[in-house]
Amino acid sequence: MASHKDARGAKVSEIVANDMLDAAPISGSLTFTQLCTYIAGPSMGVACLVSLGLMFLHATHLSNPAEQTKIIRITALIPIYAIIQFADIYLGASAIYLLPWMNVCESIALINFVLLLCDYLSPSVKSQSGYVDVHGSDSKYSGDALGEALARSQKVRRLACQYIAVATLVAIVTDITQATGIYCNNSNSIHFAHIWLTIIRAISAAVAVLAIVKFTVAQKRTLPRQRIMFKLVAFKLIVFFNFLQTMLFSFAGARFTPSTTFAYLDLTVSLPAIIYCLEMVIFSVLFHFAYSFRPYIIQQPSNSSYQGGLFGIFGILAAFNPVDLVREIVDGL
């Protein structure tokens, strides 16, 4: 079997394939990978159902599309994470090709959080579009203060956008270097791409997150009704745990020695999958409180109506229309 410290740059799939074949059951005929499947599967299902339920409620109560489409996109990060992590258990060594794209999804959710804050700050945009102002005008900036806040938000959007570019580039380079055998996920040697791509992504993510946190804290008193700090914590905990666990398992994998019952992929793929899926169950419930649809319920009598269409189909299509997303990002740069 090839060594995990193999300096010749063997692909991860070549290094760990025998580990998976040789992994002994931990109890009876049950292997650790099977145990992970039995735990991660139901967790993924619950996380998806709960988060998709919130997205459906927003889509069917679409009274403010400018805000709610962004909330739907942010919430979509939960089922995406859960599904990818569960799939990775079956993909095994090939999971390395899919995992970096989680960060791309994360970066898109981050920019939507910034855009959501900008919608909270600027009531004029919504009033011109005929959307329902569900938060009350007394919680908004006005005049020069609004202009200054939106100018600061533009800087934050640029910093968030750089993470989209970097995360996408890192994902592409990861797949290329893994396919050519120079990524070496099981090594932190400077001679392989893994350590450099990990550092680049970590720095880019840290810059974007810190800028968003600073901007959100600065608007906390101005936007009390939107509970932006609660929204920030609920969302940023997902980002933080992803960052922390990626770094932890990345460096742990480089120093790990497999046993008869616990293989290399059990540490780097299966165990993280369990943790992620269980976390997504918690966050899917938390999001129902942080990003509730209830403020968007139209109080009767009213001349306004919901714009989501039958079963919220128009709201879902609007939220995942890539043209609209790109336009919203470009308009803010």
Side-chain angles (χ1 to χ4, degrees):
M1 183 189 305
S3 169
H4 288 283
K5 304 297 183 181
D6 194 347
R8 292 172 296 178
K11 298 179 186 178
V12 174
S13 57
E14 296 171 351
I15 293 175
V16 303
N18 289 334
D19 288 345
M20 296 302 293
L21 293 174
D22 298 338
I26 57 177
S27 178
S29 61
L30 181 69
T31 65
F32 185 80
T33 300
Q34 291 172 330
L35 176 63
C36 291
T37 302
Y38 297 151
I39 297 176
S43 300
M44 176 205 66
V46 172
C48 288
L49 285 175
V50 176
S51 55
L52 290 174
L54 178 59
M55 295 164 64
F56 175 78
L57 289 171
H58 273 286
T60 54
H61 296 82
L62 198 71
S63 60
N64 192 324
E67 295 178 5
Q68 289 175 275
T69 52
K70 297 174 181 64
I71 291 175
I72 291 173
R73 291 169 190 159
I74 295 171
T75 306
L77 187 65
I78 295 175
I80 289 173
Y81 264 29
I83 292 172
I84 289 178
Q85 287 295 335
F86 181 70
D88 284 343
I89 298 177
Y90 289 96
L91 290 173
S94 299
I96 190 63
Y97 292 103
L98 188 59
L99 286 173
W101 295 98
M102 285 177 52
N103 299 320
V104 177
C105 297
E106 175 186 287
S107 67
I108 294 173
L110 275 170
I111 191 64
N112 274 281
F113 182 83
V114 178
L115 293 172
L116 179 62
L117 292 183
C118 294
D119 283 333
Y120 289 159
L121 287 170
S122 181
S124 60
V125 175
K126 287 176 281 187
S127 63
Q128 291 172 6
S129 303
Y131 301 156
V132 178
D133 183 3
V134 298
H135 304 292
S137 58
D138 60 326
S139 64
K140 302 293 193 301
Y141 275 117
S142 61
D144 294 338
L146 172 61
E148 293 175 3
L150 292 179
R152 289 195 297 270
S153 73
Q154 187 177 45
K155 297 179 181 178
V156 176
R157 277 179 283 187
R158 289 171 179 170
L159 291 174
C161 284
Q162 62 81 25
Y163 182 38
I164 296 179
V166 171
T168 303
L169 182 61
V170 166
I172 294 173
V173 175
T174 296
D175 289 351
I176 293 174
T177 54
Q178 171 64 15
T180 55
I182 59 174
Y183 181 74
C184 204
N185 189 52
N186 68 311
S187 173
N188 287 327
S189 171
I190 60 174
H191 301 292
F192 302 113
H194 168 247
I195 185 63
W196 296 111
L197 293 176
T198 300
I199 292 174
I200 291 171
R201 190 200 73 81
I203 293 174
S204 177
V207 169
V209 170
L210 289 176
I212 294 172
V213 169
K214 182 179 179 181
F215 179 69
T216 306
V217 171
Q219 314 309 320
K220 178 175 62 174
R221 294 183 179 179
T222 309
L223 303 169
R225 296 189 180 186
Q226 290 87 340
R227 301 188 301 170
I228 60 174
M229 289 306 299
F230 186 21
K231 288 180 170 62
L232 174 71
V233 171
F235 174 51
K236 288 301 184 288
L237 280 177
I238 298 179
V239 178
F240 173 74
F241 284 138
N242 178 38
F243 173 81
L244 181 64
Q245 289 162 197
T246 298
M247 299 297 292
L248 176 63
F249 286 108
S250 174
F251 287 102
R255 294 165 174 79
F256 174 69
T257 300
S259 66
T260 56
T261 58
F262 196 68
Y264 175 76
L265 288 181
D266 289 334
L267 173 71
T268 58
V269 176
S270 300
L271 182 58
I274 289 181
I275 297 174
Y276 271 112
C277 289
L278 290 174
E279 288 172 350
M280 292 307 106
V281 173
I282 297 173
F283 286 121
S284 65
V285 175
L286 183 61
F287 264 47
H288 272 268
F289 297 94
Y291 295 91
S292 175
F293 76 99
R294 297 189 182 281
Y296 298 96
I297 295 177
I298 298 175
Q299 303 298 326
Q300 300 298 333
S302 174
N303 294 325
S304 302
S305 61
Y306 297 122
Q307 305 175 40
L310 183 64
F311 300 121
I313 185 64
F314 294 150
I316 296 297
L317 291 176
F320 295 106
N321 184 342
V323 176
D324 288 345
L325 176 59
V326 172
R327 184 186 299 114
E328 290 171 2
I329 294 174
V330 172
D331 287 346
L333 298 179

